[in-house]
Amino acid sequence: MSETPVRQQSTAAFYGQAVASFAVALVATAVGILRLQADAWVRAFLGIAVLYLVTSAFTLAKVIRDRQEAGQIVSRVDQARLEKLLAEHDPFEKL
């Protein structure tokens, strides 16, 4: 029989730290852009660039996670097929 792998989940502290870190970084960047001694269009450009960077980072993280999960599903299906073949195989059967 195969063992079901234990699904690893983040702790509440790790999740909270990740959210807090993201919020601090976003707020610090926004304050830095707002206090920048530059024209309004330069600050607006930097703000849009930061938003684009954040959304593309989320998209990249999701794509990487989806590919990893798809690989795990394929390997589980292959493992199930192998276990079925081994269970049905009789080494004492005449060919």
Side-chain angles (χ1 to χ4, degrees):
M1 290 283 161
S2 68
E3 296 179 16
T4 304
V6 177
R7 184 177 172 119
Q8 296 178 344
Q9 290 186 342
S10 302
T11 62
F14 181 74
Y15 179 78
Q17 184 271 333
V19 170
S21 175
F22 175 76
V24 167
L26 197 59
V27 167
T29 303
V31 168
I33 289 172
L34 290 174
R35 294 185 50 93
L36 185 65
Q37 298 295 322
D39 291 336
W41 71 269
V42 173
R43 290 194 308 260
F45 175 79
L46 291 174
I48 289 173
V50 167
L51 290 176
Y52 181 62
L53 180 63
V54 168
T55 58
S56 63
F58 278 121
T59 303
L60 178 63
K62 183 185 179 321
V63 167
I64 290 171
R65 185 199 64 206
D66 290 349
R67 289 186 78 182
Q68 180 185 14
E69 287 178 353
Q72 289 174 348
I73 290 170
V74 168
S75 66
R76 276 194 249 153
V77 168
D78 289 342
Q79 182 67 28
R81 286 181 183 155
L82 177 64
E83 288 178 3
K84 181 182 177 195
L85 285 172
L86 290 174
E88 293 173 350
H89 176 68
D90 183 7
F92 300 109
E93 178 183 334
K94 286 189 176 181
L95 296 176

